[in-house]
Amino acid sequence: MPKPLILGYLGVLLFMIGDGVESGFIAPYMADHGAATDVRAGYVITVYGIAVMLASWFSGALCQVWGPRRVMWTGLAIWAVFDAAYLLFALGTENYPLMLLFYGIRGFGYPLFAFGFLVWITNTAPKARLGTAVGWFYFAFTGGLPTLGSLWSSLTIPSFGRLGTLWSALVLILIGGAIALVGARRRPGGDRMAPPEVTTGQSLFNSVSIIWTHPRVLVGCLVRVINTAPEFGMLVYLPRIFSDDIGFGEDKWLQLLAIIYGTNIFFNLIFGVLSDRIGWRTTIAGFGALGCAISVTTLYFVPTWLGADYYWVAVLAGMFYGATLAGFVPISALIPSMAPENKGGSMALLNLGAGGAAFVGPAIASLFFPLVGAGGVTLIFLALYLVAFVLTLLLKLPEERDGEPTAEDTPDGRLPRTDAAPTATSA
């Protein structure tokens, strides 16, 4: 972990706990308080996902001209203001159009804050330890959304109710934002990154032009979408299935969600460190894409087949998914290194993929659930992870595309580890 940014990591953790408080129950809660059906609630989450996708793209480009610090302040302000409006005027009055409006606009908040800090990390951490530094970021990110956020809600709902729990999330957001931004206010890397003559429009254009100057970065963006699209999609239909249809109840469902992503946060660190040793692409393809193809199927079908008496099996299946989901962590180190002369543009496109997952996952669930049911949607997610495996094989660093030695050229017949960060001594 880059020591100058320790308070930033802590602030992101608290911020994402606040953001993740609602993840395990917001869809059915909106359905019962103004949205009328789970599908209509899914549409609200889909609109939210569109905002997340756009803000994720903007975060990388805006960090170039505004600096990560200012981008994070902007995200914090948007989240706080529009969450209060959502709770008061949308949920408070059970007004569906206002749900779409305020919850959607609030979606611009967390990507600007969290991914602004991710850009700060990639601009500060040494390349030889970039995978580890990114692993710490996702430790904080998924530690909050939805891991500790779900655990928090499981503890507070019995005392404060769901609406009171949602208000408590706003308090966590403000505390986390203050720690991250005040604690890191004088740390290097938080200011403007682009030359003075670069305008905001030019920075946004650079984040788009990388699509045709470095098409493999676009492939990486698609892999990043697939990475967490099923995670967001399952949060649309799994809450009611696991709590009601299987019979675990809301408390056990929220605890299961905390266990899934509690496992994930520790494996974020493990795969971050491991990827610096065995290769970023190898980790993504083997542990991430193939691993998730198996685990996402297991997570749905095994508990629904065995029923409520085998909660411990659901826990094991959830831990398996949480662990393999962390296999994608090195993509935030790999993609910027594929276009070293335009890291800002590559991070913008990568963040677009991260935000796109929050749109694509719920959209797939909302569109296909009425047609093929939960099992069919899960099989669609399985197919997406297999596509991600194939696409990951195309993600090569510049030196790999410029004629680096092959396995046949080396004395021991082993391919050099070119898809990993250089060692500390070679850097």
Side-chain angles (χ1 to χ4, degrees), residues 64-360:
Q64 295 292 302
V65 289
W66 290 4
R69 185 181 292 107
R70 182 181 171 189
V71 170
M72 291 175 69
W73 274 114
T74 303
L76 175 61
I78 290 174
W79 206 104
V81 170
F82 287 96
D83 183 62
Y86 167 71
L87 295 177
L88 287 171
F89 305 115
L91 277 183
T93 61
E94 299 190 0
N95 188 308
Y96 184 67
L98 289 183
M99 284 184 188
L100 291 166
L101 177 64
F102 292 136
Y103 195 76
I105 296 177
R106 202 200 77 180
F108 285 96
Y110 98 72
L112 293 177
F113 184 89
F115 295 136
F117 186 66
L118 179 59
V119 174
W120 198 335
I121 293 170
T122 59
N123 194 39
T124 304
K127 185 178 180 182
R129 295 293 177 265
L130 186 55
T132 304
V134 168
W136 276 108
F137 168 79
Y138 283 106
F139 178 92
F141 186 93
T142 58
L145 175 67
T147 313
L148 294 179
S150 297
L151 182 60
W152 176 275
S153 60
S154 72
L155 297 174
T156 56
I157 286 176
S159 300
F160 305 112
R162 291 173 182 81
L163 188 60
T165 295
L166 292 173
W167 277 109
S168 73
L170 180 57
V171 176
L172 291 171
I173 288 288
L174 295 173
I175 294 174
I179 290 175
L181 290 166
V182 175
R185 65 187 184 278
R186 296 182 179 178
R187 299 303 184 184
D191 298 319
R192 180 185 175 98
M193 301 160 61
E197 65 274 10
V198 176
T199 65
T200 302
Q202 289 172 328
S203 182
L204 291 171
F205 175 77
N206 288 339
S207 69
V208 176
S209 65
I210 197 170
I211 293 175
W212 55 84
T213 59
H214 295 81
R216 291 175 192 265
V217 173
L218 177 60
V219 175
C221 173
L222 297 177
V223 173
R224 183 62 184 87
V225 170
I226 296 172
N227 172 195
T228 48
E231 172 189 345
F232 288 108
M234 288 190 296
L235 291 176
V236 172
Y237 64 88
L238 281 191
R240 204 176 293 275
I241 288 176
F242 272 61
S243 62
D244 297 345
D245 296 348
I246 296 178
F248 289 149
E250 186 177 61
D251 287 347
K252 283 190 174 181
W253 157 245
L254 291 174
Q255 291 166 12
L256 174 61
L257 204 59
I259 291 170
I260 292 173
Y261 296 102
T263 304
N264 175 254
I265 64 175
F266 289 104
F267 275 88
N268 284 339
L269 292 178
I270 292 171
F271 284 127
V273 174
L274 182 65
S275 68
D276 283 335
R277 296 180 177 274
I278 70 171
W280 297 333
R281 189 177 62 246
T282 301
T283 304
I284 297 166
F287 293 101
L290 283 183
C292 282
I294 300 171
S295 64
V296 74
T297 313
T298 304
L299 176 59
Y300 172 76
F301 285 103
V302 172
T304 54
W305 177 49
L306 293 178
D309 293 335
Y310 291 88
Y311 181 72
W312 64 272
V313 177
V315 168
L316 292 178
M319 293 174 67
F320 182 30
Y321 179 63
T324 55
L325 194 63
F328 284 93
V329 158
I331 198 168
S332 295
L334 176 60
I335 299 305
S337 300
M338 290 170 58
E341 75 285 359
N342 190 3
K343 282 190 175 183
S346 61
M347 283 302 299
L349 204 61
L350 181 65
N351 290 345
L352 174 64
F359 160 68
V360 172

